[in-house]
Amino acid sequence: MSKPVYLDYNATTPVAAEVLEAMLPYLTQHFGNPSSSHPYGGTAAEAVHKARESVARLLGAAADEIVFTGSATEANNLALLGVARALAGAKRHLVVSAVEHPAVLEPALHLQSEGWALSVIPVDAYARIDPAEVAAALRPDTALVSIMHANNEVGTIQPVAEIAAITKARGILLHTDAAQSAGKIPLNVDALGVDLLTLAGHKFYAPKGVGALYVRRGTALRPILFGAGQERGLRPGTENVPQVVGLGAAARLARERLPAATEKLRALRDALHERLAAAVPGLLLNGHPSARLPNTLHVSFPGIAGRELLSRVAGQVAASLGSACHSDADAVSGVLAAMGCNAGRALGAVRLSVGWMTTPEEIDAAAAALSEM
Ligand SMILES: Cc1ncc(COP(=O)(O)O)c(C=O)c1O
């Protein structure tokens, strides 16, 4: 029996063959601890250094601005809690958007429970933030604004550069969670104007369990873990060399493939949308029509719950309702609720996300299966 077509690349991606190949020697012969002063350590340290340079190049950053972490969740926690710890003497206010991933919302709520003030910026019907709303929320004691680059559920891309112009003028730090952007659209920290940026390996063909935080030179940041001082003391613990090498290889692949990959993803995604729109009267697109990740198609089917639809096509299509992390809950997605989506539309929503490995034949097969329901 053939496997269902995988249309859940926003949940996770397979490890690219080139990434696996780059990693394998660091699971076998090059097993040294990068902190060791003998050649085994030197080989590992050199590999971590090269991976750092590669990730930095993907972002237009310098190597010493990259901190490797165990996940995007950890990178987001380090950004929010680390800035809060560094600036707590003078500042006491944070700003996030209503459509952030729990890996940003939860540390923000944690800080709120510790006495920080928290402003949550609403979004419009397309899940877009109005930079003027961010400007209006800023206070003299605002330490950090954290606004995601692209939304994991509906794919809407936020006007991060416009927000950066506002925060910079006020001397306020800006973090963006770009876990969903890498490998899909070009990323540049100077064009975005951010001070901190989060990456997740497994969203762009590296393995799960590795991420990175870009930290602009001079940014006030304290560690949230304490130990032997690796990663300039910001993320102590023996480096996960194979995973870090994998992240570096994935960053190199993304650099080689973008921007052409963006157009390939967009063509596949749009073909799927056209097929579904023609076959399903009343199908509604969620998220911004143009300012949206090129691989993400979040649509509401009329008259059927997304959960029911996906269970009926489970043999042919593997997709999710929204965020993979909370797809067990029957509650309306927080993102759709923030967009003001009505209950029927939210219930019928399905997220279809294509990736580098998706083929036109898979799009045909998935469109046929979903159209029959
Ligand atoms: C926007 C965004 N941020 C953070 C994360 C968390 O990534 P991880 O679970 O790998 O830490 C995800 C994963 O879905 C995401 O989509």
Side-chain angles (χ1 to χ4, degrees), residues 10-12 70-76 99-104 148-153 177-181 198-203 208-210 323-325 351:
N10 283 11
T12 197
S71 61
T73 298
E74 188 192 328
N76 285 341
V99 293
E100 296 301 312
H101 189 275
V104 164
M148 72 199 320
H149 189 208
N151 184 262
N152 44 302
E153 293 190 32
D177 176 354
Q180 289 291 347
S181 318
T198 291
L199 286 182
H202 73 106
K203 308 288 189 188
K208 293 154 193 65
V210 66
S323 168
C325 328
R351 179 184 70 182

